[in-house]
Amino acid sequence: MVDLARRLEGNAARLPTRKVMVEGLVADVSGNTLVLNVGTRAGLKVGDRLEVKRPIREIRDPASGKVIRRIEDNLGVMVITEADEQSAVGTYSGTTPPKVGDAVKTPQ
């Protein structure tokens, strides 16, 4: 058992990792403090950095009408300072003031 633990520890860097991708919306803005409609249930934790984006337009497939691409404006970033199951609070920094309904996403 100890040998197995040592081998796992020695190969830990080669094990695959999985990045949690979070997408949500700004639910409230107060100065540079944002409240999001996603929280720990979506995978957020204190210290996470998210991009804040504003949708500009959607491009639809002319045959099906489905959205095939969204064009977004990058506004800035936010760092999560507190989170519960359903929401998160963070500090925003950027050049354009955010507003309710702006999108937040894990950087890719």
Side-chain angles (χ1 to χ4, degrees):
M1 192 69 150
V2 173
D3 184 48
L4 175 62
R6 282 190 186 125
R7 283 190 286 151
L8 283 172
E9 190 174 303
N11 291 315
R14 295 189 344 214
L15 293 174
T17 58
R18 186 173 163 220
K19 184 175 181 179
V20 175
M21 299 302 290
V22 176
E23 291 188 16
L25 297 172
V26 175
D28 186 65
V29 178
S30 179
N32 69 338
T33 301
L34 306 182
V35 178
L36 306 180
N37 70 342
V38 291
T40 56
R41 189 180 306 153
L44 282 178
K45 61 188 181 313
V46 172
D48 283 352
R49 294 175 59 88
L50 299 172
E51 296 175 338
V52 181
K53 300 175 175 241
R54 182 163 299 146
I56 297 172
R57 68 176 196 221
E58 294 179 337
I59 299 169
R60 296 183 179 272
D61 180 325
S64 68
K66 288 184 178 181
V67 175
I68 57 174
R69 184 172 294 257
R70 287 185 172 83
I71 307 299
E72 299 172 315
D73 203 9
N74 289 321
L75 305 180
V77 297
M78 71 174 294
V79 177
I80 302 301
T81 56
E82 53 185 281
D84 59 32
E85 263 190 37
Q86 297 179 357
S87 67
V89 177
T91 304
Y92 170 79
S93 59
T95 55
T96 304
K99 61 183 182 181
V100 172
D102 285 341
V104 293
K105 295 180 181 180
T106 306
Q108 293 184 2

